[in-house]
Amino acid sequence: MARRLALITGASAGIGAASARIYADHGYDVAITARRGDRLEALAQEISLRFGVEAIPIVADLADPAAPAAILEAVAAHGREVDALVNNAGYGLNGTFAATDWIDQRDSLQVMLTAPTELVHRVLPGMVERKFGRIVNVASLAGLVPGSVGQTLYAGIKSYLIKFSQSLHLENLNTGVHVTALCPGFTWSEFHDVNGAREMLNASTPAWLWLGADEVAASGYEAAEANRPVCVTGAPNKAIAAFAKLIPDDWALALMAGQGGRFRKV
């Protein structure tokens, strides 16, 4: 029997690259997609040599509405179907909503909300038919706490991914398809280098709040195998998420009011 195939978006670095290695280590072939072709080619070669599986690099920009269909067409051109999907591609924008360009906000919605939703919709029927599927939507702790300054769409998108995953989890009970929203907090990756917040975060956040991308990706894999609808990574983040549920909304919002400037350029 052919090995199962995992499709990972945003796979050129961070949680995406770590997820590709973890699925390969568990015997999956992988299709990895991102914008940076050189990174993808290098990762594909590493995975093939290290784990002895097939690694298919697919260069695509999820800001293009045609990208999800094109990615799955590339997978099909290799005679493959998607057995596991990790919707990981994402990034943060700097600035308040009014101070940013609409095109940038539109693209963030396409990359982090519309594209992952479309990918799930396209691969889910086949998973149900084959009675096997794993879907990990990489959300964030930001989706479980009140929104803060400078996270105008980001937090809302991540909250959507959590609710979306919970509903999918319930709709697919007893089908063999497992759905998980992975909710990391601060993670060592290129995410904060891209939005220019690395130096600010290093100065304002303690080391014990941070997890490695490998640890986060492993938690996502394990949660999907166990069919847990939501996985918050790390004890401190679990405590923060629980605390946010317990206190009144106006208290929680007041606590967040002054935090945006610590975590993101605004």
Side-chain angles (χ1 to χ4, degrees), residues 91-105 108 112 148-154 190-201 260-266:
Y91 56 93
L93 295 174
N94 293 322
T96 60
F97 191 64
T100 52
D101 292 335
W102 169 244
I103 290 175
D104 293 333
Q105 298 288 359
S108 72
M112 294 190 287
S148 65
V149 175
Q151 289 193 325
T152 328
L153 288 187
Y154 183 85
E190 294 182 2
F191 181 93
H192 298 293
D193 298 312
V194 172
N195 67 10
R198 170 67 61 198
E199 185 175 349
M200 179 189 306
L201 286 168
R262 292 181 58 197
F263 304 138
R264 187 166 296 193
K265 291 184 177 181
V266 293

